[in-house]
């Protein structure tokens, strides 16, 4: 998505999100190593395969993105960010587990919460654009009042 929206208002937040997801994966590997938890390579490959399969949509467009492409991809990203609740569990565990750094896990947790807010803002803009039939190339960031309404549960 970051590549597809390079040059739009959504490009910078999507690029930052992509960079942070890579850093978060590395952080998770560090935590796993510190706890002597092995990496399940089969599960990792299944995750990559699922991400690739998610790009196949019966939207009647072979080369162009459908307006719903952004919505579906942001929904998938949202699920991934919500799975970062793992950081909350690890943060609680870090209080009694000396191999875990409470401060580092706390930073990862705060970043996950910020990422969730960013993804939700982008998702609401994509839904708005898809429903109103706007150009699929321009994923606009909604006005602040829309973000406040969404946060309050009005959208």
């Amino acid at each position: 998505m970051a590549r597809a929206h390079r040059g739009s208002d959504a490009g910078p937040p999507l690029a930052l999100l992509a960079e942070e997801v890579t850093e978060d994966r590395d952080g998770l590997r560090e935590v796993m190593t510190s706890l002597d938890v092995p990496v399940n390579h089969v599960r990792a490959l299944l995750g990559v395969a699922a991400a690739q399969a998610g790009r196949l949509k019966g939207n009647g467009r072979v080369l162009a993105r459908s307006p719903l492409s952004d919505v579906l991809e942001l929904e998938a990203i949202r699920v991934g960010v919500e799975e970062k609740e793992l950081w909350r569990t690890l943060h609680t565990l870090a209080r009694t587990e000396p191999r875990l750094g409470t401060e580092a896990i706390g930073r990862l947790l705060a970043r996950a919460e910020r990422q969730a807010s960013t993804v939700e803002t982008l998702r609401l803009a994509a839904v708005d654009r898809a429903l109103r039939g706007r150009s699929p190339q321009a994923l606009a960031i909604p006005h602040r009042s829309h973000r406040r309404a969404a946060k309050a549960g009005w959208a």
Side-chain angles (χ1 to χ4, degrees):
M1 281 196 77
R3 278 191 301 272
H5 291 287
R6 193 177 310 150
S8 76
D9 288 347
L14 286 168
L16 177 61
L17 184 63
E19 182 181 316
E20 288 178 348
V21 166
T22 299
E23 292 171 7
D24 291 348
R25 184 183 58 227
D26 294 342
L28 179 58
R29 285 185 180 144
E30 289 174 19
V31 168
M32 291 173 67
T33 299
S34 70
L35 295 174
D36 299 321
V37 175
V39 175
N40 184 332
H41 295 289
V42 172
R43 182 176 287 166
L45 286 173
L46 287 174
V48 170
Q52 295 302 318
R55 292 182 177 178
L56 302 173
K57 296 177 262 318
N59 60 16
R61 299 174 187 216
V62 178
L63 299 176
R65 291 175 61 83
S66 156
L68 288 177
S69 295
D70 291 333
V71 175
L72 294 173
E73 290 173 10
L74 286 163
E75 288 286 346
I77 292 169
R78 185 172 75 167
V79 168
V81 169
E82 288 172 359
E83 287 179 357
K84 291 182 182 184
E85 280 296 308
L86 164 73
W87 296 130
R88 188 174 313 285
T89 302
L90 290 173
H91 193 255
T92 302
L93 179 62
R95 295 180 189 143
T96 58
E97 174 55 60
R99 295 178 291 175
L100 292 173
T102 329
E103 190 176 311
I105 303 267
R107 281 193 305 270
L108 290 166
L109 176 58
R111 182 159 67 182
E113 290 168 348
R114 184 182 43 72
Q115 289 170 349
S117 175
T118 298
V119 169
E120 183 61 6
T121 298
L122 292 169
R123 188 188 70 79
L124 289 173
V127 167
D128 182 61
R129 193 191 72 254
L131 293 177
R132 296 178 193 268
R134 295 183 187 157
S135 165
Q137 289 78 19
L139 178 61
I141 307 291
H143 189 269
R144 278 185 221 153
S145 62
H146 295 141
R147 282 183 260 167
R148 271 188 253 124
K151 222 177 193 179
W154 303 333

